[in-house]
Amino acid sequence: MKRTIENIEYQETTEALALFAKALGHPTRIAILQYLETEACCFTGDLVDVLPLAQSTVSQHLKELKKVGLIQGELKPPKIKYCINKEVWEQAKTLFAEFFDK
Amino acid sequence: MKRTIENIEYQETTEALALFAKALGHPTRIAILQYLETEACCFTGDLVDVLPLAQSTVSQHLKELKKVGLIQGELKPPKIKYCINKEVWEQAKTLFAEFFDK
DNA sequence: ATATCTAATCGCTAAATTACGATTGATTTT
DNA sequence: AAAATCAATCGTAATTTAGCGATTAGATAT
């Protein structure tokens, strides 16, 4: 990724939307969120059982979703309970809705 | 990308949503679509003027958007007029709305 | 026939992404 | 104190993405 000039700047909502979209841009991450939507919350292990991927890979995807704030983890030792972050969820929902509504 | 087993399959809507999200997962592509939303249609050159990127790079981003069908190009020699594909646009809009609406 | 114009494609490089197994760290249970 | 459990992180490899300049292709104008 060469960017010879200084970093290109876009509008704030443009950047925000792109970041959310990027986080949603993998079927596994969509599947995780769909699971969380129905189950409200879950542990990493639940997802590892459901998904045909290694535990470390699932962890990586969770990290991506956490990075943009769509989910959050709560310590329930020795497990970690993941839930959708509703505030950020609504924020993303609004951004997409406004984007598509022209 | 190692995937030792056969390819992992997800639900059709999961895959479709991820593909749309991936296409939207770059600020430049969001900016292009926002431009097309206000301008209805435009030529590649218009975008090259507006965006701080090389012509070949803009072409690449247009290709990505074309690939998922969100835009379509119409030959207006020697130019090409790009417009949003409204059917696919609505499809994507619906998928995102349903996804976020739980 | 030649020159010009527009936009796609090619070839390349750098960086990010996705996957895995192995290891580590934190906590609980024995 | 030792063993077990769960999930994050590390290290590595393959693939994809994003950027550029140069070239090519298609069409019009000279």
Side-chain angles (χ1 to χ4, degrees):
Chain A
M1 238 132 299
K2 250 176 296 176
R3 276 197 177 179
T4 36
I5 333 164
E6 343 89 83
N7 255 358
I8 294 152
E9 296 274 321
Y10 291 99
Q11 286 190 358
E12 215 174 301
T13 54
T14 304
E15 297 274 6
L17 198 46
L19 280 177
F20 280 130
K22 196 177 175 190
L24 299 177
H26 194 287
T28 296
R29 292 196 287 271
I30 297 284
I32 288 173
L33 292 171
Q34 284 169 336
Y35 188 84
L36 282 176
E37 278 184 292
T38 57
E39 299 294 322
C41 291
C42 75
F43 301 108
T44 307
D46 301 338
L47 291 167
V48 174
D49 291 346
V50 168
L51 299 168
L53 293 168
Q55 178 264 320
S56 56
T57 305
V58 174
S59 252
Q60 247 178 335
H61 283 299
L62 287 170
K63 196 179 173 185
E64 287 299 307
L65 293 174
K66 238 187 306 178
K67 200 174 67 184
V68 296
L70 284 169
I71 64 172
Q72 63 199 144
E74 191 191 334
L75 272 116
K76 289 277 181 185
K79 300 188 180 186
I80 293 172
K81 196 175 73 170
Y82 279 107
C83 306
I84 285 172
N85 182 328
K86 285 197 180 164
E87 271 180 55
V88 179
W89 186 265
E90 286 302 316
Q91 210 177 304
K93 175 182 170 171
T94 304
L95 275 176
F96 277 103
E98 283 173 358
F99 172 74
F100 279 112
D101 264 343
K102 165 189 184 51
Chain B
M1 234 135 302
K2 249 177 292 178
R3 274 197 177 177
T4 37
I5 333 162
E6 343 89 82
N7 257 358
I8 294 153
E9 296 273 321
Y10 290 98
Q11 286 190 359
E12 216 174 301
T13 54
T14 303
E15 297 274 7
L17 198 45
L19 281 177
F20 279 130
K22 196 176 174 190
L24 298 178
H26 193 289
T28 296
R29 292 195 288 272
I30 297 283
I32 288 173
L33 292 170
Q34 283 170 336
Y35 188 84
L36 283 175
E37 278 183 292
T38 56
E39 299 294 323
C41 291
C42 74
F43 301 108
T44 307
D46 301 339
L47 293 167
V48 175
D49 291 344
V50 168
L51 300 167
L53 293 168
Q55 178 264 318
S56 57
T57 305
V58 174
S59 251
Q60 245 178 335
H61 284 300
L62 287 170
K63 195 180 174 184
E64 287 299 305
L65 293 174
K66 239 187 306 179
K67 201 175 69 186
V68 296
L70 283 169
I71 65 171
Q72 63 199 141
E74 190 193 333
L75 272 115
K76 289 274 180 186
K79 300 187 179 186
I80 293 171
K81 195 175 74 171
Y82 279 106
C83 306
I84 284 171
N85 183 329
K86 285 196 179 165
E87 272 180 53
V88 179
W89 186 266
E90 285 302 317
Q91 209 178 304
K93 174 181 171 173
T94 305
L95 276 175
F96 278 103
E98 283 172 359
F99 172 73
F100 278 111
D101 264 343
K102 164 192 187 55

